[in-house]
Amino acid sequence: MSQRYFADQALLPTGWASQVLLEVDATGTLTDVSPNSTPGNAQRLAGPVLPGMPNLHSHAFQRAMAGLAEMGSSQPDSFWSWRERMYGLVDRLTPDQVGVIAQALYIEMLKGGYTQVSEFHYLHHDTSGQAYSDPAEMAWAITGAAERSGIALTLLPVLYAHSGFGGQPPNHGQRRFIHDVPEFLKLLERLAPHLTDHPTQALGMAFHSLRAVTLKEMQEVLATNPIGPRHIHVAEQQREVDESLVYSGKRPVRWLLDNVAVDERWCLIHATHLDDTEVRDLAACGAVAGLCPTTEANLGDGLFRAVEYAAQGGRLGIGSDSHVSLDVVEELRLLEYGQRLATQQRNCLHDSAIRPVADWLYRSALAGGAQASGQPIGALEVGKRADLVVLDGSDPYLATSKDDTRLGRWLFGGSKQQICDVMVAGRWVIQQRRHALDDANRAALTRLFTEIN
Ligand code: ZN
């Protein structure tokens, strides 16, 4: 049976529209989106309605260490020392514990405005580094958590085979991540039937990084034409660029574009360190740059060249990566603020079609996030999944805003606290800022942190 909803304002592909009737069928798909309508017997939504934001990069288990690696020392600190601490956490986690962390994480994501997550899943094996009797056991912990939380999922099992450029052997801290190509392809085969049949879950794949796979391994996997999107971490750190230059004479993004057919199916996570020709060629190839502003800031990665990239038509989306923040508002705000700090100018990210910076940020991240997830999302239009975020229409800042200031009020003057209700595939998962599992979740997470910390 279909459901009908009515919004005083909704963000459509053409911009803000008024008096919008939305119809959702039993599969959770939008079957009608009509502005300038009358509500009739439709359910009235509590405020301005946006398409839910896709989160294009997550490592669920890392949520358990958010905020625990913020201690100064006499030595300069970097991504690499953070990674050692992360390996310390990885050493101990069971599939049940990962399920608890992921469920809590995904509920927080829903409350932060994300309705879909692409999980870059590389924690595969038991604590000794052996495959579980079901090699997909950790993956099921993730799919189960997504199911219980109600968030939609694109699972990206990760091929991770080496510790450095040129096929260096993995180190002890990486033992739970490691596959050879045949084992990895078996994992994809095992997961495919479950995920391709599922209404809100899908399968893609990822290469961890150019440090972790060789060209031959990438070619062997790509020759099987794996389904769904393809993600890879690339050029996150200057040290990776330096090592790539020593190994191949090329910078990482240049090497990738020269050796692999990178196209719309690809999402390059971070892509922080780019020279002028890499900016140009990445923008031209149609892939998405997967930006994770709060994590990149937390890890001291550097700043993506968003202004130049966007000016050349480059596509981008946002992810919460290590989950120091679970908030669409913070992620998009920092994306713009980083550019302001770097250029000493205001209002950096916009174009001739979309002048309000907040609208440009939100709409660009919707489009890029949808492309990188491989799912029919990212817009309130017929045929797309009904993923909605409803803002608080009684909030004075939002209630008095106009079409060209509404998102600015939210993204630059507000917070995720202004999100009231969230729908994924036609089902309400957050209502009046609460999730049905909130209480159970808090108790389970407190128990788990007591166990592992
Ligand atoms: Zn990552």
Side-chain angles (χ1 to χ4, degrees):
M1 214 180 87
S2 62
Q3 300 287 331
R4 287 150 61 86
Y5 303 96
F6 186 81
D8 285 331
Q9 296 100 21
L11 185 65
L12 305 189
T14 46
W16 283 102
S18 300
Q19 317 295 305
V20 181
L21 193 67
L22 301 157
E23 192 175 83
V24 182
D25 74 8
T27 71
T29 304
L30 287 162
T31 50
D32 187 18
V33 180
S34 298
N36 309 314
S37 299
T38 49
N41 61 355
Q43 181 187 334
R44 285 194 91 111
L45 300 174
V49 177
L50 302 157
M53 181 62 70
N55 183 335
L56 57 61
H57 192 62
S58 163
H59 310 287
F61 74 88
Q62 292 181 11
R63 177 61 181 159
M65 63 176 282
L68 294 183
E70 311 299 322
M71 201 70 71
S73 79
S74 56
Q75 299 298 315
D77 203 356
S78 73
F79 168 87
W80 306 99
S81 58
W82 172 88
R83 192 178 75 160
E84 283 312 309
R85 178 146 193 157
M86 185 267 283
Y87 286 176
L89 171 69
V90 151
D91 270 352
R92 293 170 285 147
L93 293 174
T94 65
D96 283 350
Q97 290 173 330
V98 168
V100 170
I101 296 164
Q103 176 182 306
L105 168 74
Y106 293 156
I107 290 170
E108 285 190 83
M109 278 188 198
L110 291 166
K111 291 179 176 179
Y114 298 110
T115 46
Q116 146 83 36
V117 59
S118 291
E119 181 67 34
F120 197 103
H121 172 63
Y122 62 84
L123 177 53
H124 300 296
H125 305 314
D126 72 15
T127 52
S128 71
Q130 295 299 306
Y132 288 101
S133 55
D134 176 352
E137 182 152 348
M138 273 293 188
W140 303 135
I142 298 293
T143 58
E147 187 90 53
R148 292 189 300 277
S149 74
I151 203 166
L153 171 75
T154 298
L155 185 69
L156 306 168
V158 176
L159 177 61
Y160 199 135
H162 306 288
S163 67
F165 285 92
Q168 297 169 41
N171 63 42
H172 183 72
Q174 296 163 339
R175 68 194 179 283
R176 301 190 71 180
F177 315 154
I178 303 301
H179 283 112
D180 62 20
V181 170
E183 289 164 348
F184 178 67
L185 293 176
K186 265 190 226 151
L187 177 65
L188 293 184
E189 246 173 63
R190 169 109 180 93
L191 291 165
H194 172 82
L195 286 156
T196 45
D197 283 351
H198 195 287
T200 58
Q201 298 189 358
L203 185 65
M205 58 82 48
F207 300 109
H208 179 271
S209 59
L210 297 178
R211 288 177 274 121
V213 293
T214 63
L215 177 59
K216 183 164 172 288
E217 287 160 346
M218 293 178 82
Q219 288 168 336
E220 283 170 11
V221 172
L222 294 173
T224 68
N225 201 20
I227 57 169
R230 297 146 186 200
H231 291 215
I232 185 168
H233 291 126
V234 68
E236 178 176 7
Q237 288 283 323
Q238 185 59 43
R239 185 170 123 187
E240 180 188 331
V241 177
D242 298 342
E243 288 174 358
S244 179
L245 283 165
V246 168
Y247 172 65
S248 68
K250 291 187 177 183
R251 303 165 58 84
V253 170
R254 170 54 48 209
W255 186 93
L256 187 66
L257 294 172
D258 286 354
N259 284 283
V260 177
V262 176
D263 58 18
E264 288 84 356
R265 288 173 293 184
W266 284 77
C267 179
L268 275 58
I269 304 299
H270 307 304
T272 309
H273 299 280
L274 302 175
D275 69 15
D276 292 346
T277 63
E278 288 172 312
V279 171
R280 180 195 67 202
D281 295 345
L282 179 57
C285 77
V288 174
L291 308 179
C292 308
T294 60
T295 291
E296 288 154 7
N298 182 276
L299 296 177
D301 286 344
L303 210 51
F304 180 76
R305 295 172 61 179
V307 172
E308 293 125 304
Y309 177 75
Q312 296 176 66
R315 304 173 191 187
L316 58 84
I318 52 167
S320 59
D321 192 358
S322 69
H323 313 306
V324 285
S325 168
L326 296 162
D327 185 344
V328 168
V329 173
E330 283 190 357
E331 221 60 67
L332 290 176
R333 186 185 290 171
L334 187 56
L335 173 54
E336 165 69 17
Y337 280 178
Q339 305 301 306
R340 293 189 190 189
L341 290 164
T343 61
Q344 301 181 46
Q345 293 180 12
R346 298 190 70 249
N347 295 324
C348 296
L349 292 168
H350 61 88
D351 59 30
S352 56
I354 307 178
R355 288 295 180 201
V357 172
D359 291 54
W360 188 95
L361 289 166
Y362 200 87
R363 291 169 67 175
S364 300
L366 275 178
Q371 180 178 321
S373 77
Q375 298 211 34
I377 54 171
L380 301 181
E381 64 183 359
V382 171
K384 293 283 181 1
R385 196 167 70 209
D387 289 2
L388 312 182
V389 167
V390 183
L391 301 179
D392 183 353
S394 69
D395 178 285
Y397 296 92
L398 297 174
T400 56
S401 62
K402 304 282 185 285
D403 288 353
D404 61 352
T405 58
R406 191 166 295 118
L407 276 174
R409 277 293 209 191
W410 185 41
L411 295 184
F412 291 102
S415 76
K416 67 177 176 182
Q417 302 306 326
Q418 288 157 296
I419 297 172
C420 274
D421 306 303
V422 179
M423 173 188 282
V424 178
R427 188 164 77 86
W428 292 113
V429 287
I430 303 295
Q431 287 186 292
Q432 297 179 354
R433 299 182 172 83
R434 286 193 50 84
H435 189 282
L437 296 176
D438 273 348
D439 293 338
N441 213 28
R442 287 167 69 94
L445 206 53
T446 304
R447 261 197 317 274
L448 182 135
F449 289 157
T450 310
E451 276 165 34
I452 65 173
N453 289 325

